[in-house]
Each structure stands twice: as C-alpha cells, then as structure tokens.
Amino acid sequence: MEWMGYLCFAVLLMYSSYPGRVRAVERKCRKLQRRLRKLGVEQEGEETMSKIIEKLVGRECKLVIDAEKNILEDDQVDATILEVDEEWVRFTYLDKKKNIKTKIIRIDAIESIEELEE
C-alpha cells in the first residue's frame, strides 16, 4: 500500500510544474503576436474575409454555408448581401415559398461565395 502513496506523490511532483509550462507557452504566443502585429500580418482570417465580402455589398451572390453551422433550409442560397462587419453578414434571399427572408450569420459559417452575373 505504501507504493500507492509514492505513486501519488510522484504524479503530484510531475504536474506541479505544469502551470509554469503553460505560462511559458503563453509568453511565447504573446511575443509571436507582437512580432506579427509589427509586420502587419492579420491574425484572424475573418477580418480579411470581411474586407473582401464588403466589396460584394449590394450584389447577388451564391453563398455556400457550412453544413454544421447551417441555419437555412439549403446549404447553398442565392442571396443579396446587405451589410458586413468583422464577424457577421446580413443578407436577403428567397425561401422555398418565394418569401423574402433576411438572415444574419457569422462569417466563419460561410464556406464559399460566388458572385452571380447580372
């Protein structure tokens, strides 16, 4: 039974330095983020994607939405993009009953956008 106590003590000693390791990794991440900011590299893909989508405001597009994050009836929808910010897109589309619907979804839920020719 003593070996059980020794084993628990050994495990406790191994994980006692774990928070220190986490802090060291966090410091390295912060340094990397500072370097990237100095170089002007965007860290989040949503910000650059939102800038691209902003150019499509008022145009007809085919949105392909991620199946896991889909809030619509279909995975693909022909929509008119109304507004875009850093995280969200507001658009209108026709549902199956030909009613005009307005939805707001997160940019990361969009898999692809294809601009439709007018």
Side-chain angles (χ1 to χ4, degrees):
M1 287 304 255
E2 284 182 9
W3 64 272
M4 197 72 151
Y6 292 127
L7 180 67
C8 291
F9 183 70
V11 169
L12 182 69
L13 286 177
M14 282 179 23
Y15 284 104
S16 65
S17 65
Y18 186 73
R21 291 181 200 160
V22 171
R23 280 191 298 272
V25 170
E26 286 176 346
R27 268 188 256 118
K28 288 180 183 179
C29 286
R30 274 189 247 123
K31 285 180 184 178
L32 180 61
Q33 287 174 346
R34 275 188 242 125
R35 287 182 193 160
L36 289 173
R37 266 188 249 127
K38 285 180 182 177
L39 293 173
V41 176
E42 293 289 334
Q43 296 171 343
E44 308 236 353
E46 289 86 15
E47 289 182 29
T48 56
M49 188 169 174
S50 68
K51 291 176 185 174
I52 294 170
I53 296 173
E54 278 181 3
K55 296 175 184 174
L56 299 173
V57 171
R59 297 187 183 172
E60 296 259 344
C61 299
K62 179 177 289 220
L63 300 175
V64 178
I65 300 170
D66 186 9
E68 295 175 0
K69 300 175 182 176
N70 192 357
I71 59 169
L72 307 173
E73 296 87 26
D74 298 323
D75 289 345
Q76 296 183 7
V77 64
D78 294 339
T80 303
I81 298 175
L82 301 175
E83 287 183 74
V84 179
D85 70 0
E86 291 82 25
E87 294 184 35
W88 300 92
V89 176
R90 186 169 72 111
F91 61 92
T92 60
Y93 69 100
L94 289 174
D95 65 357
K96 291 180 180 178
K97 297 179 183 176
K98 304 295 182 197
N99 295 325
I100 297 175
K101 298 256 182 159
T102 302
K103 291 284 184 178
I104 300 172
I105 62 170
R106 292 182 63 87
I107 288 179
D108 60 355
I110 299 173
E111 284 187 4
S112 67
I113 299 176
E114 178 184 339
E115 185 176 1
L116 300 175
E117 299 295 324
E118 293 184 24

